Amino acid sequence: MLPEIAALVEQSALAALSQARHFMYHSPAWFIFGALIVYHLLQLLLIPQSRKTFSPESPANIVVTGAAQGLGKFLVKQFARSHPRGAVNLIIVDIRDDLAPAMLKEVREAAGDAAFKGVHFLRANLADKASTETTFERILSEFGPVHVLVNNHARCQGKRVDEMSIEQFKLTMDINFHSYVHLTMLFLGQPALKEAAAAKKTPQGFHLVNV
């Protein structure tokens, strides 16, 4: 049986290699996409992952941008629903402050506590450099280090390039690209993050997600 199994494995491997070559030459985009998936799966399986510990004794400050609606609001509600009271401090950053009252109400309902105090709304224009820096500095001053940053905000024109003005295109790039880079730089430049990196140990860890 062993020679038969070995032959079967070899045959399967050759077939997989042939299929990979086909994708590589005829569908390079799908080949790269598949390779990335395999790479990340191997990381999850083979590389020890640090366990995130969010607890009332070691609370985490979580900032989610563009969270007044859509995916961002869903993420904030999941954070509120999935962690014990006092374990997370949710900070929502969005330009749509008109949506704040209803959004905060939904988050408190998700947390199962109408008086839940661990959620905060800050209005900011993330396309503006000064507004972004002022908001980030305010977060550090009022809440402490940002342990988790989820850059989720975005602007969608729904137009072809030739249907947009250069001002509209610039605003889209400022929101969808430049602000992500700016917030990432501010996040990585936190003194607490640098100290944690030097010590190579922190209860919550620091995590960055660019949607």
Side-chain angles (χ1 to χ4, degrees):
M1 288 297 294
L2 287 178
E4 294 177 6
I5 294 174
L8 181 61
V9 170
E10 182 181 3
Q11 185 179 0
S12 300
L14 290 173
L17 180 60
S18 175
Q19 191 69 17
R21 285 175 177 169
H22 172 80
F23 274 110
M24 183 169 61
Y25 289 114
H26 298 285
S27 304
W30 281 107
F31 176 80
I32 293 172
F33 179 68
L36 286 172
I37 291 177
V38 172
Y39 171 76
H40 287 295
L41 285 174
L42 288 174
Q43 275 194 318
L44 290 173
L45 291 172
L46 301 179
I47 300 176
Q49 303 294 315
S50 59
R51 186 175 179 80
K52 307 174 199 50
T53 55
F54 300 159
S55 67
E57 294 75 28
S58 183
N61 291 323
I62 301 176
V63 175
V64 184
T65 65
Q69 57 187 332
L71 175 62
K73 181 169 72 172
F74 172 79
L75 291 174
V76 172
K77 290 166 66 174
Q78 283 298 106
F79 278 125
R81 186 180 293 116
S82 304
H83 295 89
R85 188 183 306 173
V88 293
N89 200 34
L90 303 170
I91 304 159
I92 301 155
V93 178
D94 203 298
I95 198 169
R96 293 288 305 274
D97 53 353
D98 58 305
L99 300 176
M103 195 277 178
L104 293 172
K105 182 175 181 292
E106 287 188 44
V107 174
R108 292 185 178 111
E109 289 175 352
D113 182 3
F116 179 59
K117 296 181 179 179
V119 57
H120 314 271
F121 186 95
L122 301 182
R123 185 187 184 280
N125 177 9
L126 297 176
D128 181 74
K129 179 176 180 289
S131 176
T132 301
E133 290 179 350
T134 299
T135 302
F136 202 87
E137 289 171 3
R138 179 183 171 188
I139 292 171
L140 296 180
S141 174
E142 294 185 13
F143 306 102
V146 176
H147 300 104
V148 179
L149 171 62
V150 181
N151 284 323
N152 167 76
H153 59 284
R155 171 186 172 89
C156 180
Q157 287 284 345
K159 298 179 180 180
R160 299 198 310 266
V161 172
D162 60 329
E163 296 175 334
M164 299 169 58
S165 67
I166 189 63
E167 290 76 19
Q168 289 175 318
F169 189 82
K170 182 179 182 302
L171 179 60
T172 300
M173 289 299 295
D174 284 341
I175 295 173
N176 294 0
F177 177 70
H178 296 134
S179 65
Y180 274 58
V181 175
H182 192 191
L183 282 165
T184 297
M185 293 170 70
L186 292 171
F187 175 79
L188 296 176
Q190 295 181 94
L193 188 151
K194 292 184 176 181
E195 291 170 7
K200 297 182 179 179
K201 185 177 181 181
T202 181
Q204 304 93 344
F206 289 84
H207 308 277
L208 171 66
V209 179
N210 287 321
V211 177

